[in-house]
Amino acid sequence: MSTVLVINSGSSSIKYQLVDTVGGEALASGIVERIGEAAGSIKHSFAGTTTSRTDPIADHGVGLRAVLDLFRELGPDLQEVGIAAVGHRVVHGGSVFDGPAIVTDEVIAQIDALSPLAPLHNPPNITGIRVARELLPDVPHVVVFDTAFFRTLPEAAATYAIDAEVAREHGIRRYGFHGTSHQFVSQQVAQILGRRPQDLNQIVLHLGNGASASAVRGGVAVETSMGLTPLEGLVMGTRSGDIDPAVLIHLQRNAGMSVDEIDDLLNRRSGLKGLSGENDFRTLHDLVAAGDAEASLALDVYLHRLRKYIGAYFAVLGRVDVVVFTAGVGENDDIVRARALADLESLGIAVDLEKNEGRIREPRVISPEWATTTVMVVPTNEELAIAQQAVDLIGVVDDAADLGHA
Ligand code: ADP
C-alpha cells in the first residue's frame, strides 16, 4: 500500500490530499473552510471535477466527517483505494522531533507541550489529528514536522545571543520552518543531477507568500532564515522578516502599541503588503511597470534582503554547487529569479535569461553551461513529501516488527 491521506489542519480550515506515493500524484484533494462560522464550505476535487458544498461546519470533527462522506459519494472510495497512513502536517516539533513520528497519545501530548512556541498552529494541528484518529482508527497516523529538517542546525546557527538562562527556560532558539519543502527540494536536486546528496552544497530558496532560505551541506541543513517563529529572515508577502528588535520596544514604549498590535503589524501588515499595499507578485510587477514608487521600493527591499541571504550562505557553505528556487514565487517569477542572482558572475553564478523565462512547472536548470554554481527551479510538493515520509516510516516500523517476530 502506497496511498496516503495528507491532512493540514488550521484553525478554521482543513486542507487534504490523497497522494499516491509511487506515481507521485494527487488522486484527490480539497479544502474545508470557515469551520465554526455561519457559512462553511468544502471543495473536493477528483478526476478533473471540483465539487463545492456550502454548509455550516460546527467543528473540525464535522468537517472531516463531511470530507470522508464526499470521498464515499464522489470518489475515490478510501476503502477501495486502501490507504497506508494518514500523514499530518505539524508546524512546530521544537527540539523534540528530528523526523516524522507515529501518532500515539504521548506524541500528541508532546506536540501539545510545544504549543506555546506555535500558539496559532500546533493546537489546530492537534485538533485535526484527534478527529482523524477517531474517524480513521484502523490506519496508522504519522506526524511530519515543519521544523524537523532543521534539527541538525549547528549550535552556532541555532543560538540567539541572549542570556542563556532565559533562552533555556523559554525554549528560545532558532528552529526553522518550511523544512519539509527544503528537504524535499534539496533531495530532488540531487536525484535530478544524478549526484549523491552528500556530495552537494545547496542554497534552497523557498519563496512563497511565506519565504525562507536554507543552506544545505551534503544533505544536512546547516543554516536557515526562519527562527523561533516563521517571522524571521526574508521579506515576505505580509511579514517583515528581520528587524531590529528595538523597533518592537520602541513601538510599545513610544507608540503605545500592545503586544497583539505589534504581532499583527509584523505578521500581517508588513512585508510587501506593508510597503506597497500589495503582496501578490503578479500585481506588484504591474504596479512597478506603471511607475508606482511604493511598489518599486517594496520589490527592491525584497530583493536586497534575498541577495544578502544568498551572499551570507555562500560564506556559510564555502562552496555552493546549486542554488535552487521553489514555491509560488520561486517557480513562477522569472523577474525575481533573474534579479536575485544578477551581477554575480565573479562568484561563478548566473541565470540564462532564455532558460529562465516564464513559469516553470518541471525541474529545470536555468544557469549557463560555464557557471560553476548550477541554478535550478524545482517545484516543491509538501503533500507528496509528507506522504513519502509517512510511508517510509511505516515501512521501517513494519520491517522492525518483522525482524522482531523472526
Ligand atoms: P504560500 O504557500 O506561502 O501561501 P505559495 O507558495 O503558494 O505561498 O506562493 C504564493 C505566491 O506566489 C503569491 O502570493 C504570488 O506572489 C506568487 N505567484 C503565484 N503565481 C505567480 C506568477 N504567475 N507570477 C509571479 N508570482 C506568482
Side-chain angles (χ1 to χ4, degrees):
M1 277 203 297
S2 59
T3 305
V4 175
L5 179 63
V6 176
I7 293 179
N8 183 353
S9 173
S11 59
S12 65
S13 70
I14 304 171
K15 286 189 206 142
Y16 61 91
Q17 202 174 97
L18 187 67
V19 181
D20 169 13
T21 55
V22 173
E25 305 144 353
L27 303 175
S29 64
I31 182 165
V32 185
E33 286 177 295
R34 294 190 296 281
I35 295 171
E37 291 178 30
S41 76
I42 310 185
K43 279 198 194 95
H44 181 83
S45 303
F46 170 53
T49 307
T50 298
T51 308
S52 300
R53 298 268 161 90
T54 45
D55 277 314
I57 297 159
D59 55 34
H60 287 69
V62 172
L64 193 59
R65 203 168 287 122
V67 168
L68 297 180
D69 287 344
L70 283 182
F71 270 108
R72 263 187 294 271
E73 190 189 325
L74 304 168
D77 189 308
L78 294 181
Q79 298 285 348
E80 275 171 30
V81 171
I83 53 176
V86 180
H88 297 270
R89 176 178 184 221
V90 177
V91 166
H92 218 306
S95 300
V96 183
F97 295 98
D98 61 4
I102 299 216
V103 176
T104 60
D105 290 344
E106 196 197 338
V107 163
I108 292 180
Q110 285 171 312
I111 298 170
D112 199 21
L114 294 165
S115 289
L117 291 171
L120 298 180
H121 294 106
N122 275 24
N125 292 162
I126 294 170
T127 306
I129 297 166
R130 287 213 167 103
V131 300
R133 270 180 110 197
E134 267 170 42
L135 293 172
L136 297 163
D138 300 325
V139 279
H141 290 248
V142 174
V143 276
V144 176
F145 297 91
D146 246 28
T147 49
F149 184 54
F150 297 118
R151 278 295 290 125
T152 53
L153 290 194
E155 285 299 296
T159 305
Y160 288 112
I162 62 168
D163 184 300
E165 195 55 45
V166 173
R168 239 190 319 275
E169 192 180 333
H170 297 283
I172 294 174
R173 58 183 284 126
R174 308 188 58 251
Y175 294 99
F177 297 87
H178 290 151
T180 310
S181 176
H182 286 265
Q183 181 174 21
F184 177 80
V185 168
S186 56
Q187 287 172 347
Q188 288 280 108
V189 163
Q191 210 177 326
I192 292 158
L193 296 179
R195 304 278 301 275
R196 299 184 314 163
Q198 53 268 45
D199 294 335
L200 288 177
N201 287 355
Q202 304 187 39
I203 297 176
V204 183
L205 304 171
H206 176 111
L207 310 178
N209 210 9
S212 59
S214 71
V216 181
R217 176 182 288 131
V220 176
V222 293
E223 179 55 288
T224 193
S225 58
M226 286 177 167
L228 176 80
T229 75
L231 183 54
E232 192 181 344
L234 301 175
V235 175
M236 310 183 209
T238 65
R239 289 176 232 159
S240 64
D242 295 338
I243 191 168
D244 180 346
V247 171
L248 285 66
I249 300 165
H250 180 80
L251 288 174
Q252 197 168 13
R253 272 205 194 120
N254 301 316
M257 288 178 79
S258 68
V259 170
D260 286 344
E261 284 168 336
I262 294 173
D263 186 347
D264 184 55
L265 173 78
L266 297 180
N267 276 299
R268 282 173 284 281
R269 293 195 285 130
S270 294
L272 297 169
K273 180 140 191 132
L275 289 171
S276 71
E278 180 54 58
N279 63 319
D280 191 302
F281 271 91
R282 289 161 285 197
T283 318
L284 195 71
H285 291 309
D286 290 345
L287 290 169
V288 173
D292 185 308
E294 285 176 348
S296 185
L297 176 63
L299 187 57
D300 288 350
V301 173
Y302 179 93
L303 287 163
H304 177 77
R305 181 84 52 85
L306 182 58
R307 288 171 64 88
K308 222 161 82 165
Y309 267 89
I310 293 166
Y313 288 4
F314 259 87
V316 166
L317 290 170
R319 185 198 86 226
V320 179
D321 303 299
V322 180
V323 175
V324 54
F325 289 92
T326 194
V329 181
E331 293 163 26
N332 293 309
D333 196 319
D334 49 6
I335 300 174
V336 167
R337 290 191 300 257
R339 284 187 60 184
L341 298 176
D343 305 322
L344 297 179
E345 286 79 4
S346 63
L347 289 174
I349 184 163
V351 168
D352 178 320
L353 296 183
E354 237 167 71
K355 294 180 188 165
N356 181 49
E357 200 180 327
R359 304 175 68 182
I360 295 180
R361 315 286 181 89
E362 299 290 330
R364 186 193 294 174
V365 172
I366 59 167
S367 46
E369 293 289 334
W370 59 261
T372 48
T373 296
T374 305
V375 183
M376 297 181 74
V377 179
V378 174
T380 192
N381 189 339
E382 285 168 283
E383 288 79 13
L384 176 59
I386 290 171
Q388 280 172 342
Q389 289 193 36
V391 165
D392 288 350
L393 181 66
I394 288 164
V396 169
V397 171
D398 285 351
D399 287 351
D402 287 348
L403 286 175
H405 289 303

